[in-house]
Amino acid sequence: MQKTYEDLVHELNKTKRIKTYIKEKEPYELYKDLLASILACKNVVLLDSDFSDEEISRLGIPIECLEKEEDVEINVSSFEEILRLVERNGKAWQVTLYTSGTTGRPKKVSHNIETLTRYVRIGERFRNNVWAFAYNPTHFAGLQVFFQAFYNENPMIYIFEMDKRKIEKILNEFKVTHISATPTFYRSVVPYFKGQVPSVERVTMGGEKFDKRLASELLKIFPNAKIRNVYASTEAGSLFAAEGEVFEIDPEIADKVRISEDNELLIHRSLLGYSDDFELDGEWYRTGDIVEKIDERHFRFSTRKAEMINIGGYKVNPHEVEDEIRKIEGVIDVVVKARKNAITGNILVAEIKVKNGTNIEEKEKEIMAVLSEKLQRWKVPRILKFVEELETTRTGKRLRK
Protein backbone atom coordinates (compact mmCIF):
# COMPACT_ATOMS: atom_id res chain seq x y z
CA MET A 1 0.00 0.00 0.00
CA GLN A 2 1.39 3.40 -1.01
CA LYS A 3 -0.36 6.62 0.05
CA THR A 4 0.45 10.31 -0.30
CA TYR A 5 -0.26 13.20 2.03
CA GLU A 6 -2.86 14.34 -0.52
CA ASP A 7 -4.55 10.95 -0.13
CA LEU A 8 -4.54 11.50 3.62
CA VAL A 9 -6.34 14.85 3.32
CA HIS A 10 -8.94 13.32 0.99
CA GLU A 11 -9.56 10.24 3.14
CA LEU A 12 -9.79 12.20 6.40
CA ASN A 13 -12.55 14.29 4.85
CA LYS A 14 -14.39 11.08 3.95
CA THR A 15 -14.19 9.75 7.53
CA LYS A 16 -17.61 9.83 9.21
CA ARG A 17 -17.12 7.40 12.09
CA ILE A 18 -14.15 6.27 14.15
CA LYS A 19 -13.74 3.52 16.71
CA THR A 20 -12.89 4.38 20.29
CA TYR A 21 -10.54 1.37 20.36
CA ILE A 22 -8.28 1.50 17.30
CA LYS A 23 -7.11 -2.01 16.36
CA GLU A 24 -5.78 -1.87 12.80
CA LYS A 25 -3.30 -4.10 10.97
CA GLU A 26 -2.27 -1.51 8.36
CA PRO A 27 -0.14 1.32 9.83
CA TYR A 28 -1.62 3.85 7.38
CA GLU A 29 -5.20 3.04 8.45
CA LEU A 30 -4.19 3.16 12.11
CA TYR A 31 -2.61 6.59 11.85
CA LYS A 32 -5.39 7.94 9.66
CA ASP A 33 -7.90 6.99 12.37
CA LEU A 34 -5.61 8.43 15.05
CA LEU A 35 -5.40 11.77 13.20
CA ALA A 36 -9.16 11.75 12.70
CA SER A 37 -9.60 11.36 16.46
CA ILE A 38 -7.38 14.41 17.07
CA LEU A 39 -9.18 16.54 14.48
CA ALA A 40 -12.54 15.55 16.00
CA CYS A 41 -11.30 15.85 19.64
CA LYS A 42 -12.27 12.24 20.43
CA ASN A 43 -10.15 10.32 22.93
CA VAL A 44 -9.04 6.88 21.71
CA VAL A 45 -7.17 3.75 22.80
CA LEU A 46 -4.53 2.06 20.61
CA LEU A 47 -4.43 -1.74 20.63
CA ASP A 48 -2.00 -4.09 18.91
CA SER A 49 -3.66 -5.61 15.87
CA ASP A 50 -2.75 -9.14 16.97
CA PHE A 51 -4.17 -8.87 20.49
CA SER A 52 -6.39 -11.89 21.13
CA ASP A 53 -9.79 -11.55 22.81
CA GLU A 54 -8.27 -13.16 25.92
CA GLU A 55 -5.44 -10.62 26.05
CA ILE A 56 -7.87 -7.75 25.60
CA SER A 57 -10.04 -9.08 28.44
CA ARG A 58 -6.95 -9.30 30.69
CA LEU A 59 -6.37 -5.61 30.02
CA GLY A 60 -9.82 -4.94 31.51
CA ILE A 61 -11.47 -4.06 28.20
CA PRO A 62 -14.89 -5.67 27.52
CA ILE A 63 -14.77 -7.27 24.05
CA GLU A 64 -18.01 -5.58 23.03
CA CYS A 65 -16.30 -2.19 23.45
CA LEU A 66 -14.14 -2.89 20.39
CA GLU A 67 -17.17 -2.13 18.22
CA LYS A 68 -17.90 1.19 19.87
CA GLU A 69 -17.89 4.03 17.31
CA GLU A 70 -18.44 7.77 17.38
CA ASP A 71 -19.63 10.11 14.66
CA VAL A 72 -17.11 12.66 13.42
CA GLU A 73 -17.23 15.50 10.95
CA ILE A 74 -13.94 16.51 9.36
CA ASN A 75 -13.48 19.20 6.77
CA VAL A 76 -9.90 20.15 6.00
CA SER A 77 -8.66 21.88 2.85
CA SER A 78 -4.94 21.06 3.03
CA PHE A 79 -2.22 19.22 4.88
CA GLU A 80 -1.15 22.52 6.45
CA GLU A 81 -4.61 22.87 7.97
CA ILE A 82 -4.33 19.36 9.41
CA LEU A 83 -1.06 20.37 11.10
CA ARG A 84 -2.68 23.47 12.61
CA LEU A 85 -5.66 21.51 13.92
CA VAL A 86 -3.48 18.73 15.35
CA GLU A 87 -1.52 21.33 17.31
CA ARG A 88 -4.66 23.10 18.51
CA ASN A 89 -6.94 20.15 19.26
CA GLY A 90 -4.23 17.77 20.42
CA LYS A 91 -3.72 19.60 23.71
CA ALA A 92 -7.21 18.66 24.93
CA TRP A 93 -7.17 15.19 23.33
CA GLN A 94 -5.81 11.93 24.77
CA VAL A 95 -4.61 8.64 23.35
CA THR A 96 -4.17 5.67 25.67
CA LEU A 97 -1.33 3.21 25.04
CA TYR A 98 -0.22 0.02 26.73
CA THR A 99 3.37 -0.61 27.80
CA SER A 100 5.11 -3.55 26.14
CA GLY A 101 4.93 -5.75 29.24
CA THR A 102 8.43 -7.13 28.60
CA THR A 103 8.87 -8.14 32.22
CA GLY A 104 5.40 -7.66 33.70
CA ARG A 105 1.73 -6.81 33.19
CA PRO A 106 1.21 -4.01 30.63
CA LYS A 107 0.26 -0.64 32.10
CA LYS A 108 -2.01 1.81 30.35
CA VAL A 109 -0.73 5.36 29.89
CA SER A 110 -2.47 8.33 28.30
CA HIS A 111 -0.75 11.11 26.38
CA ASN A 112 -1.74 14.28 24.58
CA ILE A 113 -0.02 15.79 21.56
CA GLU A 114 2.41 17.78 23.72
CA THR A 115 3.89 14.73 25.47
CA LEU A 116 3.85 12.67 22.27
CA THR A 117 5.82 15.30 20.35
CA ARG A 118 8.02 16.74 23.13
CA TYR A 119 11.21 16.26 21.09
CA VAL A 120 9.87 16.39 17.53
CA ARG A 121 12.06 18.67 15.45
CA ILE A 122 10.49 20.76 12.68
CA GLY A 123 12.12 22.92 10.02
CA GLU A 124 13.41 23.18 6.49
CA ARG A 125 16.49 21.09 7.25
CA PHE A 126 14.24 18.12 8.03
CA ARG A 127 12.01 18.43 4.96
CA ASN A 128 14.00 16.00 2.81
CA ASN A 129 14.21 13.22 5.39
CA VAL A 130 12.96 9.77 4.41
CA TRP A 131 12.11 7.50 7.34
CA ALA A 132 12.28 3.72 7.62
CA PHE A 133 9.61 2.79 10.14
CA ALA A 134 10.89 -0.14 12.24
CA TYR A 135 8.74 -0.04 15.39
CA ASN A 136 5.36 -1.42 16.33
CA PRO A 137 3.05 1.45 15.25
CA THR A 138 0.79 1.27 18.33
CA HIS A 139 3.58 1.86 20.85
CA PHE A 140 5.28 5.06 21.93
CA ALA A 141 8.43 4.68 19.83
CA GLY A 142 6.32 4.08 16.72
CA LEU A 143 4.24 7.17 17.44
CA GLN A 144 7.38 9.26 17.89
CA VAL A 145 8.76 8.21 14.51
CA PHE A 146 5.38 8.82 12.90
CA PHE A 147 4.99 12.35 14.26
CA GLN A 148 8.61 13.29 13.51
CA ALA A 149 8.03 12.35 9.87
CA PHE A 150 4.43 13.63 9.77
CA TYR A 151 5.20 17.15 11.04
CA ASN A 152 7.86 17.54 8.33
CA GLU A 153 5.73 15.87 5.61
CA ASN A 154 8.37 13.17 5.17
CA PRO A 155 7.89 9.84 3.38
CA MET A 156 7.69 6.79 5.69
CA ILE A 157 8.48 3.20 4.69
CA TYR A 158 7.18 0.53 7.07
CA ILE A 159 9.83 -2.19 7.49
CA PHE A 160 8.95 -3.55 10.95
CA GLU A 161 7.27 -6.68 9.57
CA MET A 162 8.98 -6.75 6.18
CA ASP A 163 10.84 -9.78 4.83
CA LYS A 164 14.38 -9.11 6.10
CA ARG A 165 15.86 -10.16 2.75
CA LYS A 166 14.11 -7.22 1.06
CA ILE A 167 15.06 -4.43 3.46
CA GLU A 168 18.44 -3.51 1.93
CA LYS A 169 16.87 -3.14 -1.53
CA ILE A 170 13.98 -1.03 -0.16
CA LEU A 171 16.29 1.31 1.76
CA ASN A 172 18.35 1.94 -1.38
CA GLU A 173 15.34 2.21 -3.68
CA PHE A 174 13.66 4.93 -1.58
CA LYS A 175 16.95 6.55 -0.55
CA VAL A 176 16.08 6.31 3.13
CA THR A 177 17.90 8.86 5.30
CA HIS A 178 16.72 7.93 8.81
CA ILE A 179 16.10 4.61 10.56
CA SER A 180 14.95 4.08 14.14
CA ALA A 181 14.66 0.61 15.74
CA THR A 182 15.58 -1.54 18.71
CA PRO A 183 19.06 -3.14 18.82
CA THR A 184 17.31 -6.52 18.54
CA PHE A 185 15.72 -5.48 15.24
CA TYR A 186 19.05 -4.27 13.85
CA ARG A 187 20.82 -7.46 14.87
CA SER A 188 18.12 -9.52 13.16
CA VAL A 189 18.55 -7.74 9.79
CA VAL A 190 22.33 -7.16 9.66
CA PRO A 191 23.09 -10.72 8.39
CA TYR A 192 20.89 -10.11 5.33
CA PHE A 193 22.78 -7.04 4.09
CA LYS A 194 25.22 -7.71 1.24
CA GLY A 195 26.34 -4.15 0.55
CA GLN A 196 25.97 -0.58 1.78
CA VAL A 197 23.17 1.99 2.01
CA PRO A 198 24.95 5.34 1.56
CA SER A 199 21.78 7.47 1.74
CA VAL A 200 21.25 6.81 5.46
CA GLU A 201 22.31 9.79 7.59
CA ARG A 202 21.00 8.80 11.00
CA VAL A 203 20.58 5.44 12.72
CA THR A 204 18.73 5.59 16.03
CA MET A 205 18.67 2.84 18.65
CA GLY A 206 16.12 2.75 21.44
CA GLY A 207 14.15 0.51 23.75
CA GLU A 208 17.09 -1.63 24.88
CA LYS A 209 20.66 -1.32 26.10
CA PHE A 210 23.02 0.30 23.60
CA ASP A 211 25.30 -2.17 21.80
CA LYS A 212 28.71 -0.75 20.83
CA ARG A 213 29.65 -3.78 18.72
CA LEU A 214 26.37 -3.55 16.83
CA ALA A 215 26.95 0.17 16.25
CA SER A 216 30.28 -0.67 14.58
CA GLU A 217 28.57 -3.23 12.35
CA LEU A 218 25.89 -0.73 11.37
CA LEU A 219 28.47 1.86 10.38
CA LYS A 220 29.88 -0.61 7.85
CA ILE A 221 26.43 -0.86 6.25
CA PHE A 222 25.54 2.83 6.65
CA PRO A 223 28.94 4.52 6.15
CA ASN A 224 27.52 8.06 6.11
CA ALA A 225 25.37 7.69 9.20
CA LYS A 226 25.63 8.97 12.74
CA ILE A 227 24.49 6.60 15.47
CA ARG A 228 22.08 7.98 18.05
CA ASN A 229 21.03 6.28 21.28
CA VAL A 230 17.65 7.29 22.72
CA TYR A 231 16.16 6.67 26.15
CA ALA A 232 12.36 6.75 26.09
CA SER A 233 9.45 5.05 27.80
CA THR A 234 5.71 4.77 27.31
CA GLU A 235 5.27 6.42 30.69
CA ALA A 236 7.29 9.58 29.94
CA GLY A 237 8.21 9.60 26.25
CA SER A 238 11.69 10.62 25.07
CA LEU A 239 13.91 12.00 27.79
CA PHE A 240 17.58 11.50 26.86
CA ALA A 241 19.69 11.07 23.73
CA ALA A 242 23.38 10.32 23.20
CA GLU A 243 25.89 9.58 20.48
CA GLY A 244 27.04 6.51 22.44
CA GLU A 245 26.04 4.75 25.67
CA VAL A 246 26.49 7.72 28.04
CA PHE A 247 23.37 9.87 28.48
CA GLU A 248 23.52 13.51 29.52
CA ILE A 249 20.71 14.99 31.59
CA ASP A 250 19.45 18.17 29.95
CA PRO A 251 19.76 21.16 32.35
CA GLU A 252 16.10 21.99 31.61
CA ILE A 253 14.93 18.79 33.32
CA ALA A 254 17.84 18.30 35.75
CA ASP A 255 15.59 18.98 38.76
CA LYS A 256 13.13 16.36 37.50
CA VAL A 257 15.59 13.45 37.27
CA ARG A 258 17.21 11.55 40.14
CA ILE A 259 19.28 8.43 40.65
CA SER A 260 18.40 6.62 43.88
CA GLU A 261 20.86 5.10 46.34
CA ASP A 262 20.24 1.70 44.75
CA ASN A 263 20.97 3.18 41.28
CA GLU A 264 17.40 3.24 39.99
CA LEU A 265 16.46 6.07 37.64
CA LEU A 266 13.64 8.23 39.05
CA ILE A 267 11.69 10.83 37.10
CA HIS A 268 9.35 13.50 38.42
CA ARG A 269 5.63 12.99 37.94
CA SER A 270 5.45 16.21 35.85
CA LEU A 271 7.28 14.40 33.01
CA LEU A 272 4.79 11.55 32.90
CA GLY A 273 1.70 10.94 30.86
CA TYR A 274 -1.47 10.12 32.81
CA SER A 275 -2.16 6.68 34.30
CA ASP A 276 -4.05 5.13 37.19
CA ASP A 277 -1.39 2.39 37.12
CA PHE A 278 1.48 4.62 38.23
CA GLU A 279 2.87 3.86 41.68
CA LEU A 280 4.60 7.01 42.85
CA ASP A 281 7.14 7.45 45.60
CA GLY A 282 5.94 10.86 46.69
CA GLU A 283 6.44 13.04 43.61
CA TRP A 284 8.73 10.53 41.92
CA TYR A 285 8.20 7.61 39.57
CA ARG A 286 10.52 4.62 39.80
CA THR A 287 11.31 3.65 36.21
CA GLY A 288 12.63 0.19 37.08
CA ASP A 289 15.81 1.01 35.14
CA ILE A 290 19.11 0.40 36.92
CA VAL A 291 21.81 2.81 35.73
CA GLU A 292 25.48 3.49 36.37
CA LYS A 293 25.96 7.05 37.59
CA ILE A 294 29.04 8.69 36.09
CA ASP A 295 28.57 12.16 37.58
CA GLU A 296 25.70 14.50 38.46
CA ARG A 297 24.68 14.93 34.81
CA HIS A 298 25.74 11.68 33.14
CA PHE A 299 24.77 8.02 33.40
CA ARG A 300 24.66 4.81 31.36
CA PHE A 301 21.92 2.20 31.31
CA SER A 302 22.72 -1.09 33.03
CA THR A 303 19.59 -3.25 33.13
CA ARG A 304 15.93 -3.39 34.07
CA LYS A 305 15.43 -4.05 37.79
CA ALA A 306 12.97 -6.84 36.90
CA GLU A 307 15.57 -8.47 34.63
CA MET A 308 18.11 -9.13 37.40
CA ILE A 309 18.33 -12.87 38.07
CA ASN A 310 18.97 -14.39 41.51
CA ILE A 311 21.37 -17.35 41.28
CA GLY A 312 21.95 -18.89 44.71
CA GLY A 313 21.86 -15.46 46.38
CA TYR A 314 23.97 -13.72 43.72
CA LYS A 315 22.34 -11.06 41.51
CA VAL A 316 23.21 -11.53 37.83
CA ASN A 317 22.73 -8.85 35.19
CA PRO A 318 21.83 -10.81 32.01
CA HIS A 319 23.15 -7.99 29.81
CA GLU A 320 26.67 -8.57 31.15
CA VAL A 321 26.53 -12.24 30.14
CA GLU A 322 25.01 -11.42 26.73
CA ASP A 323 27.70 -8.84 26.01
CA GLU A 324 30.43 -11.45 26.50
CA ILE A 325 28.66 -14.03 24.31
CA ARG A 326 28.13 -11.51 21.49
CA LYS A 327 31.86 -10.85 21.33
CA ILE A 328 32.43 -14.43 20.17
CA GLU A 329 32.87 -14.86 16.42
CA GLY A 330 29.83 -16.30 14.68
CA VAL A 331 27.26 -15.21 17.28
CA ILE A 332 24.51 -13.01 15.81
CA ASP A 333 22.41 -12.47 18.95
CA VAL A 334 21.64 -13.97 22.34
CA VAL A 335 19.18 -13.66 25.18
CA VAL A 336 19.89 -14.89 28.71
CA LYS A 337 16.92 -16.08 30.76
CA ALA A 338 16.22 -17.66 34.14
CA ARG A 339 14.95 -21.18 34.62
CA LYS A 340 13.69 -22.35 38.02
CA ASN A 341 16.01 -24.67 39.93
CA ALA A 342 15.36 -26.46 43.23
CA ILE A 343 18.90 -25.90 44.55
CA THR A 344 19.94 -22.38 43.45
CA GLY A 345 16.49 -20.89 42.89
CA ASN A 346 17.33 -20.24 39.24
CA ILE A 347 19.85 -21.28 36.63
CA LEU A 348 20.85 -19.28 33.57
CA VAL A 349 19.83 -20.38 30.10
CA ALA A 350 21.31 -18.69 27.02
CA GLU A 351 19.37 -18.85 23.76
CA ILE A 352 21.81 -18.14 20.95
CA LYS A 353 21.47 -17.40 17.24
CA VAL A 354 24.63 -18.09 15.20
CA LYS A 355 25.64 -17.63 11.58
CA ASN A 356 24.61 -20.27 9.05
CA GLY A 357 27.14 -23.08 8.72
CA THR A 358 28.40 -22.78 12.30
CA ASN A 359 29.49 -26.04 13.92
CA ILE A 360 27.19 -26.01 16.94
CA GLU A 361 29.15 -28.53 19.00
CA GLU A 362 32.43 -26.64 18.57
CA LYS A 363 30.75 -23.26 19.17
CA GLU A 364 29.17 -24.52 22.39
CA LYS A 365 32.58 -25.61 23.70
CA GLU A 366 34.11 -22.26 22.71
CA ILE A 367 31.37 -20.22 24.40
CA MET A 368 31.59 -22.17 27.64
CA ALA A 369 35.40 -21.88 27.67
CA VAL A 370 35.30 -18.10 27.08
CA LEU A 371 32.61 -17.47 29.70
CA SER A 372 34.36 -19.61 32.29
CA GLU A 373 37.45 -17.45 31.83
CA LYS A 374 35.69 -14.06 31.66
CA LEU A 375 32.87 -14.39 34.21
CA GLN A 376 32.35 -15.53 37.78
CA ARG A 377 30.99 -19.07 37.88
CA TRP A 378 27.42 -18.10 38.90
CA LYS A 379 27.19 -15.89 35.79
CA VAL A 380 27.97 -18.74 33.38
CA PRO A 381 24.81 -20.25 31.83
CA ARG A 382 24.21 -23.89 32.68
CA ILE A 383 22.36 -24.44 29.41
CA LEU A 384 23.16 -23.14 25.91
CA LYS A 385 20.27 -23.45 23.48
CA PHE A 386 20.94 -22.70 19.81
CA VAL A 387 17.87 -21.32 18.00
CA GLU A 388 16.91 -20.21 14.49
CA GLU A 389 15.34 -16.97 15.75
CA LEU A 390 15.05 -15.28 19.13
CA GLU A 391 11.57 -14.62 20.45
CA THR A 392 10.66 -10.93 20.62
CA THR A 393 7.88 -8.86 22.14
CA ARG A 394 5.36 -6.99 20.02
CA THR A 395 7.67 -3.96 20.22
CA GLY A 396 10.63 -5.85 18.76
CA LYS A 397 12.55 -6.29 22.01
CA ARG A 398 14.03 -9.54 23.25
CA LEU A 399 11.58 -11.65 25.26
CA ARG A 400 13.02 -12.81 28.60
CA LYS A 401 10.05 -14.72 30.00
Side-chain angles (χ1 to χ4, degrees), residues 116-122 143-144 147-149 151-152:
L116 284 177
T117 62
R118 183 183 291 143
Y119 290 110
V120 165
R121 296 174 296 172
I122 307 170
L143 287 164
Q144 284 187 303
F147 280 111
Q148 176 61 47
Y151 270 84
N152 290 287

Side-chain angles (χ1 to χ4, degrees), residues 204-271:
T204 302
M205 291 189 199
E208 295 175 306
K209 186 180 179 183
F210 185 75
D211 185 338
K212 289 187 288 186
R213 290 176 62 84
L214 175 61
S216 297
E217 288 296 311
L218 291 173
L219 287 174
K220 295 174 186 175
I221 297 170
F222 309 116
N224 298 317
K226 290 184 177 180
I227 306 289
R228 190 166 182 254
N229 182 22
V230 172
Y231 177 99
S233 68
T234 303
E235 294 86 352
S238 286
L239 291 177
F240 314 106
E243 297 301 322
E245 62 179 349
V246 177
F247 291 107
E248 180 175 4
I249 300 172
D250 191 314
E252 291 186 9
I253 61 169
D255 61 337
K256 297 180 174 63
V257 178
R258 288 183 183 174
I259 297 174
S260 69
E261 290 184 1
D262 57 352
N263 296 316
E264 184 174 357
L265 185 69
L266 311 180
I267 54 178
H268 192 263
R269 65 185 304 168
S270 61
L271 294 178

